[in-house]
Amino acid sequence: MTRYLIWILLLSVAAFASVIGITVTRAAPSFEIEVVKTGLDRPWSINFAPDGRLFFTARNSGRLYALSIATGAVQTFSGLPPSRFRAESEAGMLGMELDPDFAGNGWAYICYSYFDTNNNRKNRLSRFTVDPGAGVVRDEAILIDNMVGATHHDGCRVIVSPDNRYLFVSMGDALDPPLAQNLNSTGGKTFRIFKDGSIPPDNPFYAAGQSPRSLIWTLGHRNHQGLAFHPATGDLWSTEHGPDIMDELNILIAGHNYGWGWGNPPRYCLGTVNCDGVPNFMAPVAVFNTDSTVATSDMMFYTGSAFPEWNGDLFFVTLKTGRLYRLKINNRTIVEQEMLINGQYGRLRDVTVGPDGFIYISTDATSATLLRIRPVIDRPYRVSLPFIIR
C-alpha cells in the first residue's frame, strides 16, 4: 500500500471515530537528542534573549557569553568577572536571569561569589547592564550583598516573578547547617526583593527593613539550585540537594520552614525524617531518593509549542547521575514520571526551553556541551476502535 493511501485511510478512520464518539488520543511524542555546541566555558545558567541567542554564565572564568544557535558563533562580553571574583569548587559565576524587558534595558541579574576586603568568602546578587552591540557588561548595581559563602553550598539561583515585580534568590547553607534556621543569617534561605533591590514590606519576616531577616521568603534549605514558577498556579517550585540521600522537590510558600539545620548532626531534618517540632514546617512534594542522591540542579516548566503533550510538565536535570526528569503535575501532586536522559551525557547543569519550543540542556564540565531535544516527526493519530482494519 502506498504512503498516500495509508494517510487517506488514517484520516478516514479519524473522521469516522469523531462521528461515532470514539476517543481519539495523541501518540506520545517521539524525540531525538542533538549536540548543538561543544567546548563551552563551563555554563552554570542558560537563558534565551529576545534576539534568539542563548546567554550563559561561566562558573569558573566569571564571564558572560552569548551563543547563536543558528551559526554556533559565541560572543564573549568584556566587563566581567567583577572585582575580587571568587572561583573555587562550587563557587563562582552562578545564577543569571535576563530581565523581561532585556531588549530595551539590557538588564541581567547575576549572582556570583567573591572575597570581601578581609578575604572572607561571600556571595552577591547584582544587576548588570549588557550592551550586545558593544560586547560589554557595565554599570553593576548591587542588590543583595554579604551573603554567606564557602567552597560549597553557595546556591545561587535567581528568577523574576511572573508579574515582573520581584526577584527570588536561593542561597545555600555555606557548609554550616544551623545557619539555615537562623533568621539573622543569609545561609539556607530564599529571598524576595523588588527588582531595584528594595525590600517588600509584606515579606513574612519583615522587621522595619532589617537585613537579612526582612529579605527572607523561606528558610531551612541546604542548597537549592533550581527555581521555577508553575505557569498555571503561580506556585514557586524548587529543587534542593540532600546530603547523601533524599534530594528534594519543594513548593516555596512564604514563611515556611523546610527543615534543614533543625535538630542534630549529621542528618538534621531531611524530607520528613527528624522533623518533629520544626515551626511552620513544609514537607517536600517528593524526594529522590531515600537510599541515594541524584544531585538535582535546575528546573523549568515546559511552555513551548514543539511538544504540546508536555505542556505544563516539570523538567529538572541532575549532576551526579546526569539525568533529565519529566514530571506531570496535577495541582501539587506528581501523577507521572519519566526519565528522558540517564547518564549518557555526563553531569547536567541547566535546562531551558528555546523560542523554537525545543528543550536545551547544558552539561557541567570545563569544556561543556549544549544539547537539544526536538521532535522527530509529527506522528499521526492513533484511534481506539472496536474492530480491526485489514
Side-chain angles (χ1 to χ4, degrees):
M1 186 180 294
T2 68
R3 180 176 298 180
Y4 175 77
L5 291 177
I6 291 173
W7 273 103
I8 292 297
L9 178 59
L10 287 169
L11 291 172
S12 300
V13 170
F16 173 72
S18 65
V19 170
I20 64 176
I22 295 174
T23 300
V24 179
T25 58
R26 192 72 172 169
S30 179
F31 63 88
E32 60 184 355
I33 303 174
E34 299 177 327
V35 173
V36 178
K37 184 74 173 178
T38 59
L40 298 178
D41 182 8
R42 198 155 206 151
W44 203 94
S45 182
I46 59 175
N47 289 273
F48 277 95
D51 66 3
R53 292 190 299 168
L54 185 71
F55 280 66
F56 64 93
T57 53
R59 190 191 74 184
N60 292 355
S61 69
R63 297 191 180 278
L64 179 69
Y65 298 92
L67 166 67
S68 169
I69 299 298
T71 68
V74 177
Q75 181 180 21
T76 303
F77 290 87
S78 63
L80 291 175
S83 175
R84 304 187 66 83
F85 173 71
R86 175 173 66 91
E88 50 178 358
S89 193
E90 293 179 359
M93 191 65 68
L94 304 174
M96 177 262 297
E97 176 86 324
L98 302 181
D99 190 84
D101 191 30
F102 181 78
N105 58 32
W107 290 349
Y109 307 98
I110 300 178
C111 192
Y112 66 90
S113 308
Y114 71 101
F115 289 103
D116 68 14
T117 55
N118 296 316
N119 287 323
N120 297 309
R121 291 179 171 92
K122 300 287 185 179
N123 291 291
R124 174 183 287 153
L125 173 71
S126 290
R127 186 189 70 211
F128 295 89
T129 300
V130 181
D131 185 340
V136 65
V137 178
R138 51 181 170 78
D139 299 338
E140 178 177 10
I142 297 173
L143 304 181
I144 304 178
D145 205 4
N146 292 310
M147 292 185 285
V148 293
T151 55
H152 296 71
H153 301 187
D154 292 281
C156 167
R157 190 69 59 178
V158 56
I159 188 171
V160 177
S161 62
D163 61 7
N164 195 22
R165 296 184 65 200
Y166 306 101
L167 297 176
F168 287 81
V169 184
S170 69
M171 180 49 55
D173 69 2
L175 295 176
D176 190 351
L179 294 183
Q181 294 295 320
N182 183 352
L183 292 176
N184 294 314
S185 171
T186 56
K189 309 296 192 303
T190 310
F191 304 114
R192 174 186 182 244
I193 59 173
F194 287 118
K195 288 169 55 179
D196 64 0
S198 59
I199 304 174
D202 60 344
N203 275 358
F205 302 102
Y206 188 83
Q210 179 184 348
S211 182
R213 64 173 55 225
S214 294
L215 302 168
I216 296 171
W217 184 252
T218 61
L219 71 155
H221 300 287
R222 184 174 181 269
N223 194 27
H224 49 324
Q225 293 188 331
L227 295 175
F229 284 97
H230 192 288
T233 67
D235 285 336
L236 178 58
W237 290 64
S238 173
T239 53
E240 180 167 342
H241 288 280
D244 55 352
I245 59 173
M246 298 174 70
D247 298 312
E248 296 181 359
L249 180 63
N250 288 305
I251 299 174
L252 304 183
I253 298 176
H256 280 67
N257 189 329
Y258 293 77
W260 181 250
W262 178 271
N264 299 311
R267 286 291 185 220
Y268 300 101
C269 168
L270 187 61
T272 57
V273 180
N274 300 326
C275 299
D276 292 345
V278 176
N280 297 316
F281 177 63
M282 184 73 179
V285 173
V287 296
F288 304 85
N289 293 305
T290 57
D291 60 349
S292 63
T293 175
V294 298
T296 53
S297 190
D298 198 23
M299 62 186 297
M300 62 100 174
F301 286 95
Y302 183 77
T303 56
S305 58
F307 296 100
E309 301 87 346
W310 291 344
N311 186 50
D313 289 357
L314 185 157
F315 290 78
F316 72 87
V317 290
T318 70
L319 293 162
K320 185 176 73 172
T321 50
R323 295 172 179 172
L324 172 65
Y325 285 84
R326 181 189 67 83
L327 307 178
K328 188 167 290 296
I329 306 295
N330 182 5
N331 193 15
R332 294 179 174 177
T333 302
I334 298 170
V335 296
E336 181 180 319
Q337 175 177 306
E338 181 181 15
M339 198 182 301
L340 303 181
I341 297 175
N342 187 17
Q344 60 266 46
Y345 299 99
R347 294 163 58 92
L348 305 181
R349 170 59 71 181
D350 205 357
V351 57
T352 192
V353 60
D356 51 15
F358 303 155
I359 296 171
Y360 290 81
I361 301 153
S362 59
T363 67
D364 181 60
T366 301
S367 180
T369 299
L370 182 70
L371 305 169
R372 173 170 60 194
I373 296 181
R374 60 182 299 167
V376 174
I377 56 171
D378 186 16
R379 298 174 66 185
Y381 285 90
R382 65 174 185 265
V383 183
S384 300
L385 295 174
F387 54 85
I388 299 175
I389 298 177
R390 297 186 183 276

